[in-house]
Amino acid sequence: MLPVDGWSCLVTGAGGFLGQRIIRLLLEEEKQLEEIRVLDKVFNPQFLLEFSELKHKTKVTVMKGDILDEQLLHKACQGITAVIHTACIIDTGLHLRRETIMNVNVKGTQLLLEACISVGVPIFLYTSSLEVAGPNSYVKPVLNGHEGDLLENTWNNTYPYSKMLAEKAVLAIDGQLLRNGATIHTCSLRPVYIYGEGSILLQHEIIRALNNDKTIKRNREGAMANQAYVGNVAWAHVLALRALRDSEKAQRVGGQFYYICDDTPPHSYSDFNYELSKEWGFKLGSKIGIPFTLLYWSAFLLEIISLMLHPIFIYEPPFNRHLLTLTNSVFTLSDKKARKELGYEPRFSWLEAKQKTSQWIGTLLAQNREYLKAKAP
């Protein structure tokens, strides 16, 4: 059973796309939650205004600062019951921000874990990524992969590598005895590609298509991946947190990772973006003219050139093998374990999620109205 007395929660990456949704759900659903501390380097002013105007019992404490600030982390964790760690840098490149990404994603996680152990925080929930699992090959399909398959990303690209190291550090401390006599329980969620209103990645794709006469660049024929709506991924975090707060469930959930999907039908990334935006006049580009194998090995040559030039200056190739594999593979995952052990069920149907996201895309177009007028015949 969950404790009925008050508790508190720290959310890192709180100003981000997912972090904001998690906070809203915690405020809506967790009646015994006395305080949420929201930590991030940058906050949208509208986000802060929204919470300052809300009338609710839960105290919201805004903490602006860097995930590498050890003093700030100890202050943020003091007296906290649970931590949800979503803060990270997402990047599909090779070298450009490698040191920064490793510092934020790996060192930042380690420092936060040390702070939790030092002040006695008993619950730590980590937001990982499907890229910890793969895909590793565009010629070997993975359909409905699950946690028991022990899939592991073999790329040395900074983002998946950093998320893998951070997740291992989080899961490794599950069951450790804290100084205050409590035991820390940890688990990790691996969401698939997250979409919805406010998605920076989706916004970039829409703007890119606008610059190409509303044409979405097509992926390789037959490619397929999972996508999940941000509201459902946020809900999975709330449920995982509840499981970790339950002393009996924490014994089963602790040290585990879970894939998080929803009822969104798997698409290629290009087909998915088209499905969300077609009512606004977007279209799919023509099929890839260059044989994909040639494209893949061209990326390999660019990576070699980048490596050779690295001692002199940083050359970031326009594409790389990991990015090509990620967006052109058959790689789908199953969330059966999360449904069984966390009680996870999506709160939003595919139809609802599609409608909400498509409406948001419409607002993006309205913001670019002058641009569209200039492009009109």
Side-chain angles (χ1 to χ4, degrees), residues 282-297:
F282 285 79
K283 54 186 179 292
L284 273 174
S286 56
K287 295 179 181 179
I288 298 175
I290 305 171
F292 189 79
T293 303
L294 179 60
L295 199 61
Y296 182 87
W297 289 111

Side-chain angles (χ1 to χ4, degrees), residues 39-41 63-70 72-73 104:
L39 173 65
D40 212 329
K41 201 169 184 177
M63 307 186 78
K64 288 187 181 181
D66 198 308
I67 196 70
L68 298 174
D69 185 338
E70 295 181 54
L72 174 66
L73 294 183
V104 171

Side-chain angles (χ1 to χ4, degrees), residues 329-349:
S329 297
V330 175
F331 192 78
T332 64
L333 301 165
S334 168
D335 60 9
K336 284 184 179 179
K337 182 180 177 183
R339 295 188 185 231
K340 179 180 179 182
E341 297 185 9
L342 303 179
Y344 168 64
E345 289 289 340
R347 284 175 61 122
F348 298 90
S349 68

